[in-house]
């Protein structure tokens, strides 16, 4: 599509396309508040609907029909509002939609410095962004792609396009490696003046792990992300430094992002992260999930030169009398990916039982019930614990 824009522009007498940086910057802005609190953009576990834009390969992690809303005050001047939704299509595929507006109002135009107070002219600047994502899972491998459309209104308007591709592999449920190709369709924008700008593709890597801790009633997540590997441009937000990954490997690694999150079983979570390992200004975040139905997140992001940014996000799994969005993916009985049980389990899920057990997903506490101290009971043996699960599911 980007190539089509170039040829159409040239055939109509427009200017020669020029390479630029940040052509579709809105697509790089992290949706929601969770990732911002960790100082990361796309890696890790436990994603929500905001992954539509920044992490298309992760959207299969979401088991439920989920929507998200967020508002950010960037540098006390710009407002960023976004909406995202994830819809599990079947046991292995997910569709995502997202919309956002990123803008600043009341910008004064100073064409004549001497008369700027006599006849002030104001300008409203805004980006309107839409994204569509799709992901598919094969065992531990997830592959996802998204398409970004951008309408930009500055002193002149412009249209932009970009597509990304992401793949990730999860090992032993607790370790994950991911690669994000930003610019499968290179970011391109055409302005009213006829100028066409484009941004070359680049690959970003991510490595994540999670560590359950029964003693502290929760689990810890750690995420590390690299900047782009192949393009020779400054990777740092605070200084003019950076480049291709193989030209200065230590500097390249030092400019990566590192995020830490601890999720308590009660639903509370604390986050901290560095947008650059060499940055002295960490990001902070906090969140809470109530019974996996509704959650709220907050993130605080300082900046070395500009004012700090604040983000608030809400994540909702809809549920009412005639519809239950929780466990939505579990309804696809024949297509749900099977998670292998631990070696000490000694039993397979009974596919004749209703609810999540029929899908091959482990119920909370199942590993404890099947531990060596509490061996699984023979098939067909009555169990009060199973009856309780069935009663809860029927409700």
């Amino acid at each position: 599509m980007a190539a089509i824009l170039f040829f159409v522009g040239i055939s109509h007498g427009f200017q020669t396309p020029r390479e630029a940086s940040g052509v579709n910057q809105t697509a790089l802005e992290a949706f929601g508040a969770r990732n911002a609190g960790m100082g990361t953009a796309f890696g890790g576990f436990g994603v929500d609907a905001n992954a539509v834009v920044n992490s298309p390969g992760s959207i299969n992690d979401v088991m439920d029909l989920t929507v998200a809303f967020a508002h950010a005050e960037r540098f006390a001047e710009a407002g960023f509002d976004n909406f995202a939704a994830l819809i599990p299509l079947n046991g292995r595929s997910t569709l995502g939609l997202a919309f956002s507006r990123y803008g600043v109002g009341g910008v004064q135009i100073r064409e004549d410095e001497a008369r700027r107070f006599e006849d002030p002219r104001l300008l409203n600047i805004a980006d309107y962004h839409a994204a569509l994502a799709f992901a598919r899972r094969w065992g531990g491998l997830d592959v996802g792609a998204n398409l970004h459309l951008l309408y930009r209104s500055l002193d002149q308007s412009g249209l932009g396009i970009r597509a990304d591709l992401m793949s990730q592999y999860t090992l032993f449920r607790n370790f994950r490696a991911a690669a994000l190709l930003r610019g499968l369709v290179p970011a391109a924008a055409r302005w009213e003046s006829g100028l066409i700008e484009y941004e070359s593709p680049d690959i970003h890597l991510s490595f994540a792990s999670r560590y359950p801790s029964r003693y502290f009633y929760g689990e810890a997540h750690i995420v590390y992300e690299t900047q782009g590997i192949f393009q020779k441009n400054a990777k740092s937000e605070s200084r003019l430094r950076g480049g291709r990954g193989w030209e200065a490997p230590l500097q390249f690694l030092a400019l990566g992002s590192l995020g830490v999150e601890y999720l308590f079983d009660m639903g509370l979570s604390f986050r901290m992260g560095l947008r650059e390992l060499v940055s002295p200004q960490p990001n902070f975040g906090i969140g809470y999930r109530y019974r996996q139905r509704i959650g709220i997140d907050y993130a605080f992001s300082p900046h070395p030169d500009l004012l700090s940014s604040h983000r608030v996000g809400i994540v909702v799994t809809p549920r009412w009398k005639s519809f239950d969005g929780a466990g939505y993916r579990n309804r696809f009985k024949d297509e749900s990916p099977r998670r292998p049980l631990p070696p000490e389990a000694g039993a397979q899920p009974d596919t004749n039982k209703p609810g999540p057990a029929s899908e091959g997903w482990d119920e909370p506490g199942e590993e404890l019930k099947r531990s060596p101290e509490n061996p699984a009971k023979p098939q067909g043996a009555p169990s009060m614990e199973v009856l309780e699960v069935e009663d809860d599911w029927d409700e």
Side-chain angles (χ1 to χ4, degrees), residues 204-224:
H204 301 247
L205 303 178
S206 170
F207 305 92
S209 60
R210 57 183 178 183
Y211 302 93
S213 175
R214 294 177 181 175
Y215 183 80
F216 292 103
Y217 303 99
E219 65 179 25
H221 293 186
I222 301 177
V223 185
Y224 173 77

Side-chain angles (χ1 to χ4, degrees), residues 35-41 223-228 233-243 250-259 272-283 301-305:
N35 283 77
M38 299 174 65
T40 59
V223 185
Y224 173 77
E225 297 178 2
T226 71
Q227 298 291 337
N233 59 304
K235 312 294 184 181
S236 174
E237 293 184 352
S238 58
R239 65 195 74 180
L240 188 62
R241 60 184 300 185
L250 294 180
Q251 185 184 97
F252 172 78
L253 294 175
L255 292 177
S257 303
L258 179 66
M272 185 178 69
L274 295 171
R275 292 297 299 268
E276 301 172 15
L277 291 181
V278 293
S279 172
Q281 297 177 310
N283 292 8
S301 303
H303 193 277
D305 301 311

Side-chain angles (χ1 to χ4, degrees), residues 149-200:
L149 301 177
L150 177 71
Y151 174 76
R152 175 165 289 178
S153 177
L154 301 177
D155 56 332
Q156 58 177 315
S157 61
L159 295 174
I161 189 173
R162 193 185 91 189
D164 302 333
L165 177 66
M166 177 180 171
S167 64
Q168 67 179 23
Y169 188 80
T170 305
L171 183 65
F172 304 128
R173 304 190 190 180
N174 293 325
F175 301 95
R176 173 171 288 178
L180 174 64
L181 172 58
R182 283 180 174 156
L184 174 66
V185 173
R190 185 175 72 84
W191 298 91
E192 287 180 331
S193 63
L195 174 65
I196 295 179
E197 295 179 314
Y198 71 96
E199 186 173 4
S200 299

Side-chain angles (χ1 to χ4, degrees), residues 1 10 16 23 31 39 56 75 106 170 180 230 241 254 271 283 322 329 345 359 371 384:
M1 291 297 295
I10 295 173
T16 303
V23 172
F31 272 42
F75 320 121
T170 305
L180 174 64
F230 296 107
R241 60 184 300 185
R271 307 172 183 117
N283 292 8
S322 60
R329 194 185 298 276
E359 312 310 322
S371 63
M384 294 302 295

Side-chain angles (χ1 to χ4, degrees), residues 21 54 78 82 84 118 138 165 176 195 206 208 212 216 223 229 245-246 261 270 291 311 343 377:
S21 178
N54 302 101
N82 68 263
E118 299 177 9
W138 293 273
L165 177 66
R176 173 171 288 178
L195 174 65
S206 170
F216 292 103
V223 185
I229 297 176
W246 60 87
E261 176 183 40
F270 294 97
R291 295 187 176 183
R311 297 172 184 264
K377 295 183 179 182

Side-chain angles (χ1 to χ4, degrees), residues 369-390:
K369 296 175 186 178
R370 294 191 295 266
S371 63
E373 294 77 11
N374 300 284
K377 295 183 179 182
Q379 295 291 337
S383 172
M384 294 302 295
E385 294 175 345
V386 174
L387 292 178
E388 290 176 1
V389 171
E390 293 178 353

Side-chain angles (χ1 to χ4, degrees), residues 266-269 271 286-291 294-297:
M266 70 183 78
L268 186 65
S269 58
R271 307 172 183 117
I286 188 172
Y288 179 73
R289 296 290 188 273
Y290 177 73
R291 295 187 176 183
I294 185 169
I296 184 168
D297 297 300

